[in-house]
Amino acid sequence: MRHFLRLSVILWLLLRLPALAQEPCRSVEYKQATLQSDPALAIKFQEIENFTQKQVKRSSVVVNGGGHAGQLTATINIPVVVHIVYNNASQNISDAQIQSQIAVLNRDYRKLNSDTSKIPSYYSGLAANCGIRFVLANVDTNGRSTTGIVRRQTNKQYFSYDDAIKFTAKGGDDGWDRDRYLNIWVGHFTEGVLGYASAPGCEKQKDGVAIDFTAFGTVGTAAAPFNLGRTATHEIGHWLNLIHIWGDASCGNDQVDDTPQQGAATRGNPSGMVFSCGNTPYGNLYMDFMDFTDDVGMHLFTFGQRDRMRSLFAEGGFRNALLSSKGIAPGTPLDDAPADEVVAGDGIKIQLYPNPAFNTVQVSSSGNLLPGAQLEVYNQTGARVLTTRVPGSTFQLDVSSLSAGLYFIVIKGAAHKMPTKLIKM
Ligand code: ARG
Ligand code: ZN
Ligand code: CA
């Protein structure tokens, strides 16, 4: 009997473990807390994190006087499939509502959203064009033509975090190959769930984002204060490896250099400076897409967030395969305002005076530099020879320890893609 009991406990655990192990794939919020409990997934996440950090660092290192190593500069096109899983007619949202969501994504991820004008001036220099375009797929997994919209009626009254919406057999709709498409599932979720995302590294079949039908797009069933399409902007940020701005802990770490530390999530639509974690002088970046502010109060991704997301598409990156997807037929007209520009390092520029310099050089910036941002000096071979923290927008940098020659100055964060040449006499 004792043996039988022990055996059944072991059996129960064996049956139960895979389910428990899959939990972190529901949403990035659960990622940290469950890292220890699932070694295999923890290792996968860590691999992706290491790759990301290496890429982000690499792209700011100057190579032979100007270029950036490993930097991916073109606009990235992502084929999208939207699965509308509806129980009643009102949940079967219109094509127009779906298109309104795609349009929001294409503004937010290319800094074309008009509400960047509402970013306070002291933070406007942080807003980046992430150079990502979302296109409803017009070729399906079998090479046939498609609208990129799949509609499926379900008996289920509502869905939850359990991922049932991602499986036809569970009353949802099977996802398409995540190496070729971004899967977006839209359905009726239990009270309070606006949306959730899988983090890079999760199981193939659960890869994508899920959004409530009242928080999707800007028309039809979209309901205030989540009727400006920002739930999808936010969830796709997670899908592209972004962590909440407060780092999912009190004054946590979001692994992004140019976002200030923040104590906790922001709700509603605040204004003015709100301080936490000693984040002087400008306070919380609550207008970032990765906070919890109402749709109307979210306006930007930063350069650091841009780099983190785009790193996934570099060679060897977790989402690199999407670049060779055939989900968008060649010649498909893409919304092109502005024309396919190169995503260059367009952070705040810095000026050096005098230059050439002897022992000290004055560093000043075209916009607000975040005090505490890291300034790095590289020599011609790309080796870092000096590191210091920026005390403010204008300051004297001691370069007396450097030998004569050509150097490159990079400020990580706000200006970290703009290497400025310094000649040391
Ligand atoms: N609570 C959700 C998450 O953590 C989404 C929040 C979206 N916020 C918004 N204003 N639409 O992923
Ligand atoms: Zn989130
Ligand atoms: Ca940060």
Side-chain angles (χ1 to χ4, degrees):
M1 186 63 190
R2 269 203 354 245
H3 282 293
F4 173 75
L5 260 181
R6 198 179 303 156
L7 203 70
S8 43
V9 166
I10 290 169
L11 252 175
W12 179 86
L13 260 176
L14 278 176
L15 289 172
R16 194 72 200 119
L17 263 179
L20 294 174
Q22 284 158 17
E23 302 254 308
C25 291
R26 298 192 304 204
S27 190
V28 169
E29 292 94 299
Y30 300 91
K31 206 168 121 179
Q32 311 278 25
T34 32
L35 274 179
Q36 281 100 341
S37 68
D38 181 2
L41 204 57
I43 289 163
K44 184 76 199 157
F45 285 151
Q46 195 53 54
E47 262 171 38
I48 294 170
E49 189 57 41
N50 293 345
F51 180 87
T52 299
Q53 310 234 333
K54 208 184 290 162
Q55 282 296 322
V56 168
K57 207 171 285 154
R58 230 173 117 196
S59 60
S60 69
V61 173
V62 180
V63 178
N64 294 331
H68 308 292
Q71 195 183 350
L72 186 68
T73 53
T75 299
I76 295 167
N77 295 320
I78 300 186
V80 177
V81 53
V82 179
H83 308 262
I84 305 295
V85 185
Y86 64 98
N87 179 262
N88 59 45
S90 79
Q91 294 163 8
N92 191 15
I93 62 170
S94 67
D95 286 0
Q97 187 168 348
I98 297 166
Q99 278 144 11
S100 75
Q101 178 62 69
I102 301 290
V104 170
L105 295 173
N106 284 325
R107 290 194 290 268
D108 290 352
Y109 277 83
R110 274 158 55 227
K111 205 186 154 188
L112 296 170
N113 49 311
S114 59
D115 59 359
T116 50
S117 64
K118 295 202 222 145
I119 305 169
S121 59
Y122 47 86
Y123 274 150
S124 60
L126 289 179
N129 169 4
C130 299
I132 300 177
R133 183 193 279 114
F134 299 85
V135 186
L136 280 173
N138 53 15
V139 180
D140 74 9
T141 49
N142 298 315
R144 294 195 194 98
S145 114
T146 174
T147 56
I149 300 171
V150 181
R151 297 177 182 278
R152 189 181 295 278
Q153 188 154 22
T154 182
N155 293 325
K156 281 187 79 97
Q157 299 286 331
Y158 52 80
F159 292 96
S160 68
Y161 284 125
D162 67 2
D163 283 328
I165 199 167
K166 301 177 180 176
F167 299 95
T168 307
K170 295 181 178 171
D173 191 52
D174 289 342
W176 293 11
D177 180 8
R178 66 115 180 266
D179 289 331
R180 292 183 276 169
Y181 304 89
L182 158 60
N183 286 282
I184 303 180
W185 286 273
V186 180
H188 183 200
F189 286 87
T190 28
E191 217 62 49
V193 180
L194 291 174
Y196 68 95
S198 66
C202 290
E203 285 160 88
K204 232 175 175 330
Q205 287 76 14
K206 294 182 175 178
D207 195 289
V209 305
I211 316 273
D212 190 81
F213 78 109
T214 63
F216 194 76
T218 61
V219 298
T221 58
F226 304 112
N227 59 342
L228 297 178
R230 261 66 196 259
T231 303
T233 300
H234 175 107
E235 298 308 334
I236 292 170
H238 285 315
W239 180 76
L240 292 172
N241 212 20
L242 294 188
I243 300 163
H244 290 136
I245 193 109
W246 64 98
D248 293 315
S250 173
C251 304
N253 181 2
D254 67 350
Q255 308 288 353
V256 173
D257 279 338
D258 59 356
T259 53
Q261 263 202 331
Q262 184 170 313
T266 311
R267 313 265 169 186
N269 183 22
S271 62
M273 293 180 197
V274 181
F275 297 99
S276 59
C277 319
N279 59 8
T280 50
Y282 308 123
N284 298 352
L285 191 70
Y286 55 75
M287 61 300 287
D288 191 278
F289 291 128
M290 297 318 287
D291 203 337
F292 269 5
T293 318
D294 287 346
D295 280 13
V296 72
M298 304 182 144
H299 315 309
L300 76 141
F301 288 118
T302 69
F303 287 91
Q305 289 174 320
R306 171 193 74 178
D307 294 346
R308 203 175 152 77
M309 293 193 275
R310 290 179 68 88
S311 293
L312 294 174
F313 296 90
E315 199 143 320
F318 190 78
R319 303 231 181 262
N320 174 260
L322 279 166
L323 297 182
S324 37
S325 169
K326 304 242 183 308
I328 307 166
T332 302
L334 302 173
D335 85 276
D336 255 324
D340 222 348
E341 83 282 34
V342 162
V343 178
D346 39 6
I348 293 167
K349 294 186 182 70
I350 54 173
Q351 289 100 40
L352 304 175
Y353 183 83
N355 190 8
F358 282 103
N359 291 328
T360 50
V361 59
Q362 177 180 286
V363 180
S364 56
S365 63
S366 63
N368 289 297
L369 276 182
L370 284 184
Q374 188 160 304
L375 179 148
E376 299 177 338
V377 181
Y378 291 87
N379 66 17
Q380 276 187 86
T381 64
R384 191 167 65 194
V385 292
L386 205 153
T387 301
T388 185
R389 292 280 165 189
V390 171
S393 279
T394 300
F395 57 97
Q396 302 292 325
L397 178 69
D398 182 356
V399 290
S400 56
S401 64
L402 303 179
S403 46
L406 176 63
Y407 294 88
F408 300 94
I409 296 189
V410 174
I411 296 183
K412 297 192 74 181
H416 75 278
K417 288 296 176 55
M418 291 303 294
T420 306
K421 285 181 193 171
L422 168 70
I423 296 169
K424 159 78 172 150
M425 303 276 277

